[in-house]
């Protein structure tokens, strides 16, 4: 659908025809790259710009002076640009909210709502996510009239292309487990999730000491540092990427063979997004959970909810 829509864009138009809103800067940058790839493939001359709080305003205005057809960015920056008159959304025909459940959480709903409020009445609003809980649908309802739902089972890949392993490991033994996992499995490309920056710091310190080929993706780093880490991982210069759930939302990196949850999240949908980084585009993958006794109960809840088995493993 997007391919056909890009082909129909009038290159002479100087109006904004679509916006794509994301909860993270890295996802916005990825979407911009994919739109440009599709534009090249379709032979269209679509102009795209990023609108992110991390981009200096002067540089942002230079990009907007090129009169983009599509703007990809954060709800806060798009809202501010519209409120200041820097962009005119009067001709906007599509507003895509990617990872929409995050955009309607408490910390983001005001910015998202203010942005939606300035869109024209005939603008199509599209919510996209692998998990759209009733809370999100309820919170977004004021900006939708007679919405249509297209539901694709988000857990199908969990049951068909991803194998799920669980290792019992106490909190103290998890760092040593990573050393033994690398020695035993030698994953070709492994994405390691932890729930906090403090945990990532400890993991990074340990893996650096062991000489692991690893890079780190964290929200408190500059955009160029995050992009450098993603590029190194995508090129296989580093076989391990350590991240928080910043990396669980929408990032599409080819050929990730293993995903490891260093700690198992309390919310099952977080595991859904983490595991979904592997087993993509017809490939198979492995999602590994390191679980103490409390987390083993969470693993059981996740497996029952999404209809797949965890295979209990032991490293020899």
């Amino acid at each position: 659908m997007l391919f056909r829509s890009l082909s129909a864009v009038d290159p002479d138009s100087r109006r904004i025809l679509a916006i794509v809103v994301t909860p993270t800067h890295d996802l916005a940058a990825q979407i911009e790259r994919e739109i440009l790839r599709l534009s090249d493939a379709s032979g269209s001359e679509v102009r795209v710009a990023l609108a992110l709080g991390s981009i200096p305003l002067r540089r942002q205005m230079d990009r907007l002076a090129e009169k983009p057809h599509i703007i990809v960015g954060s709800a806060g920056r798009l809202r501010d640009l519209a409120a200041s008159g820097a962009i005119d959304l009067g001709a906007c025909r599509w507003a895509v909210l990617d990872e929409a459940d995050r955009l309607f959480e408490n910390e983001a709903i005001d910015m998202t709502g203010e942005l939606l409020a300035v869109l024209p009445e005939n603008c199509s609003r599209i919510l996209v996510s692998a998990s759209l809980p009733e809370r999100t649908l309820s919170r977004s309802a004021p900006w939708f009239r007679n919405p249509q739902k297209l539901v694709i089972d988000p857990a199908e890949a969990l049951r068909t292309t991803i194998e799920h392993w669980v290792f019992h490991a106490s909190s103290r033994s998890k760092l040593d487990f990573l050393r033994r996992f690398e020695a035993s499995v030698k994953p070709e490309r492994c994405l390691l999730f932890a729930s906090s920056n403090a945990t990532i710091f400890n993991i990074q310190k340990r893996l650096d000491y062991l000489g692991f080929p690893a890079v780190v993706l964290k929200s408190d780093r500059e955009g160029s540092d995050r992009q450098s880490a993603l590029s190194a991982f995508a090129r296989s210069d580093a076989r391990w990427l350590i991240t928080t759930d910043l990396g669980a939302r929408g990032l599409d990196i080819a050929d990730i063979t293993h995903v490891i949850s260093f700690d198992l999240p309390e919310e099952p949908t977080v595991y859904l997004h983490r595991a979904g980084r592997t087993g993509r585009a017809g490939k198979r993958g492995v999602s590994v959970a390191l679980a103490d006794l409390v987390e083993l109960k969470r693993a059981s809840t996740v497996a029952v909810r999404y209809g797949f088995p965890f295979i209990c493993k032991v490293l020899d």
Side-chain angles (χ1 to χ4, degrees), residues 192-212:
L192 172 62
F193 286 104
S195 295
S196 69
N197 284 339
T199 303
I200 284 184
F201 175 80
N202 291 329
I203 294 172
Q204 182 185 13
K205 187 176 179 181
R206 177 65 170 170
L207 297 192
D208 284 347
Y209 173 77
L210 294 171
F212 268 45

Side-chain angles (χ1 to χ4, degrees), residues 221-261:
R221 293 195 170 183
E222 294 291 333
S224 58
D225 291 338
R226 298 201 303 270
Q227 188 56 49
S228 177
L230 287 169
S231 297
F233 186 58
R235 293 192 309 265
S236 295
D237 293 345
R239 290 190 292 107
W240 289 69
L241 176 64
I242 312 163
T243 184
T244 61
D245 289 309
L246 167 73
R249 290 295 186 141
L251 288 181
D252 185 16
I253 300 173
D255 302 326
I256 293 176
T257 56
H258 295 76
V259 169
I260 297 179
S261 289

Side-chain angles (χ1 to χ4, degrees), residues 166 264-265 291-304 310:
V166 62
L264 207 60
D292 59 22
L293 292 177
V294 172
E295 291 166 323
L296 283 174
K297 295 180 180 179
R298 294 180 194 164
S300 177
T301 300
V302 171
V304 169
F310 271 108

Side-chain angles (χ1 to χ4, degrees), residues 268-279:
T269 57
V270 177
Y271 180 83
L272 167 72
H273 286 279
R274 288 181 177 184
R277 298 310 98 203
T278 189

